[in-house]
Amino acid sequence: MENFVFENSTKAYFGKKCVSQYLPDLLSQYGSRVVLAYGGGSIKRTGIYDEIMDILKKAGKDVIEFSGIMANPTYDKVLEGAAQVRQHQADLILAVGGGSVMDCCKAVALAAVYDGDIWQDFWAKRGRIDVTPVPLGIVMTTSGTGSEMNGGAVITNEALKIKTGRDYPQLNARFALLDPLYTYTVPKKQMISGAFDSFTHMMETYFSTPDEDNVSDSLNEALMKSVVRNLRKAIADPEDYEARSNLVWASTMVENRILKLGKQGDFQGHILEHALGAFTDCNHGCGLAVLLPVYYRHIEAAGAKKFARFATEVWGFSPEGKTLAERANDGVEALVSFVKEIGLPTTLRELGMTEDQKDLLPKIAATCVASPGSYKHLDGEEILDIFKEAW
Ligand code: NZQ
Ligand code: ZN
């Protein structure tokens, strides 16, 4: 194992009814002004809004609503939220939603207390910011990104056509409430794309050095098998609590930094998808479903041993009588079949891109950098090839 320092400052509360059980006490630890942040309104349709509002009112809080956070949250939305938090001098931001709401709120928590140009100093330059963000609490309503238990946030600057993210420990939420029952109402396509997103976080950590025996890879194999098994069960019965609860915790586990310990990590697939998302606003998990298999075909020879191990340990292929290259290919093709089986798009056209958008591919490719953690260094030409092959 390589050296590491580990800390995770988010306290997670998991399980049925955890919001009514724990939120009242958690709220008592903060001042009276709470910014309640949410997305496009699903929480009003599902009753989560009423439940939380009731708890906030009983706790005597002054509630300021910050709503309309869109999927793939924009930098403009971050600035809007930061202005609101500043104006009302909020004591706590309560983010109720999925990755988009959680990420936007993390960015808001920082922007609200920073006097300089937060885009330049934090998102573009990736510098350290010497301020303490506004305290953040999370009630997660859909799983997949793992944002609930890390400092990661992904923001789209529409003007610059840049979708970028970073994990900044100070942005970890103080607490995260994870009730798998809340995820029952998530549309099936989102449930599947979220679970697949978490699966890619596992793969992007697993397919990277070091490859000698290490705890991260072994845990990852167990988690990948768990996602495959439980996603199949959740597709068959969306109200299978065992399946939904396993999907929630698996997606948290892979992004709470534990699995990254001692691993370099790749995330080239995410670099490609974020570039695509900046230009097309596509669904994150669906974009990954299109791009990851194509990318893996490009690197399977370079990472043959690991792809072969993936085929055997995750998908149950027998290694007998096969060359290393054949075994590696079994792993990649098993992934391709799984994407088809769960009904995610396999081409950029299926993802919704139209003929007239084909011209965008060189522009999208040009904004991608090569990941230092990849088994193979991709140059600009090969990155463009990946987008073309994904068409
Ligand atoms: O906006 P509302 O109306 O709430 O509807 C949402 C949204 O349309 C809906 N939804 C959420 N909970 C629901 C529900 N509908 C019914 N019932 C519920 N209980 O689901 C839709 C998608 O929500 P969103 O938050 O956009 O999805 P997700 O959690 O997949 O987040 C995607 C964002 O996270 C970023 C992605 O790039 C994308 O911007 N990521 C964040 C990461 C991180 N912070 O570490 C890592 C990831 O790799 C990823 O890049
Ligand atoms: Zn992701």
Side-chain angles (χ1 to χ4, degrees):
M1 292 287 295
E2 302 216 325
N3 298 3
F4 60 79
V5 175
F6 173 67
E7 185 182 356
N8 191 310
S9 57
T10 300
K11 189 160 181 177
Y13 300 78
F14 178 92
K16 289 178 188 171
K17 308 281 175 207
C18 63
V19 174
S20 56
Q21 190 178 354
Y22 297 110
L23 186 58
D25 183 49
L26 288 166
L27 289 173
S28 71
Q29 297 164 31
Y30 300 90
S32 63
R33 294 172 302 261
V34 177
V35 165
L36 173 65
Y38 54 94
S42 72
I43 66 165
K44 292 200 167 162
R45 294 190 294 278
T46 57
I48 296 172
Y49 173 89
D50 288 342
E51 183 187 353
I52 289 176
M53 212 39 149
D54 193 44
I55 294 171
L56 286 163
K57 287 277 149 65
K58 283 189 179 132
K61 302 295 179 186
D62 300 323
V63 181
I64 304 109
E65 295 193 33
F66 170 45
S67 63
I69 299 171
M70 63 293 277
N72 303 324
T74 63
Y75 181 56
D76 285 348
K77 195 70 187 171
V78 171
L79 296 181
E80 179 192 322
Q84 242 176 314
V85 168
R86 222 179 286 126
Q87 183 195 340
H88 297 279
Q89 296 187 320
D91 300 300
L92 175 73
I93 302 170
L94 188 62
V96 185
S100 297
V101 173
M102 296 187 259
D103 286 9
C104 185
C105 288
K106 289 177 190 174
V108 165
L110 194 61
V113 291
Y114 188 65
D115 289 331
D117 182 337
I118 193 79
W119 182 265
Q120 269 312 314
D121 298 346
F122 182 78
W123 296 100
K125 255 194 262 162
R126 311 184 89 71
R128 287 186 60 83
I129 299 280
D130 193 18
V131 291
T132 305
V134 179
L136 171 69
I138 283 172
V139 176
M140 197 192 71
T141 64
T142 186
S143 68
T145 64
S147 183
E148 59 275 9
M149 216 178 159
N150 62 35
V154 179
I155 298 299
T156 300
N157 188 319
E158 288 185 302
L160 301 178
K161 292 270 180 256
I162 294 173
K163 180 174 178 180
T164 187
R166 59 184 293 196
D167 183 3
Y168 198 63
Q170 289 92 320
L171 291 182
N172 266 67
R174 303 284 177 96
F175 61 85
L177 294 150
L178 318 173
D179 184 344
L181 292 175
Y182 281 9
T183 68
Y184 281 9
T185 53
V186 174
K188 203 168 198 171
K189 184 184 154 210
Q190 176 62 36
M191 186 260 290
I192 295 169
S193 76
F196 187 74
D197 181 25
S198 71
F199 193 77
T200 68
H201 299 157
M202 294 163 197
M203 291 192 294
E204 297 240 52
T205 308
Y206 183 75
F207 292 118
S208 73
T209 57
D211 280 320
E212 83 273 355
D213 189 7
N214 66 78
V215 172
S216 175
D217 285 345
S218 301
L219 287 175
N220 236 326
E221 285 162 357
L223 283 175
M224 286 191 269
K225 282 193 280 189
S226 174
V227 170
V228 171
R229 205 170 50 240
N230 286 295
L231 181 54
R232 284 175 174 153
K233 282 163 75 179
I235 289 171
D237 176 9
E239 301 206 354
D240 179 332
Y241 184 78
E242 190 177 79
R244 298 305 288 254
S245 57
N246 278 318
L247 289 176
V248 168
W249 188 240
S251 69
T252 308
M253 266 298 293
V254 65
E255 280 297 315
N256 66 6
R257 302 197 188 100
I258 289 177
L259 268 79
K260 299 191 175 175
L261 301 176
K263 293 287 292 183
Q264 184 172 15
D266 178 3
F267 287 82
Q268 181 74 66
H270 275 67
I271 293 170
L272 302 177
E273 194 289 326
H274 286 168
L276 179 68
F279 282 82
T280 65
D281 197 28
C282 65
N283 175 284
H284 176 61
C286 291
L288 289 164
V290 173
L291 294 170
L292 249 281
V294 183
Y295 166 55
Y296 283 159
R297 285 193 175 122
H298 278 254
I299 66 163
E300 79 178 59
K305 269 191 177 168
K306 202 58 173 289
F307 282 102
R309 176 173 159 178
F310 176 66
T312 304
E313 297 302 327
V314 179
W315 301 104
F317 282 83
S318 165
E320 268 174 50
K322 290 180 183 164
T323 64
L324 183 64
E326 286 167 344
R327 291 173 54 209
N329 195 248
D330 280 347
V332 176
E333 293 312 315
L335 174 66
V336 171
S337 302
F338 185 59
V339 169
K340 285 188 188 144
E341 174 196 329
I342 60 180
L344 291 182
T346 57
T347 65
L348 292 173
R349 274 167 302 159
E350 277 176 37
L351 187 64
M353 284 186 83
T354 49
E355 274 309 315
D356 58 318
Q357 288 182 303
K358 211 171 177 180
D359 294 348
L360 285 178
L361 298 186
K363 289 184 192 151
I364 296 170
T367 67
C368 296
V369 294
S371 163
S374 175
Y375 284 135
K376 182 182 178 192
H377 178 84
L378 301 183
D379 61 20
E381 210 174 313
E382 190 162 13
I383 289 175
L384 179 56
D385 285 344
I386 290 173
F387 281 106
K388 284 182 180 164
E389 287 161 30
W391 181 255

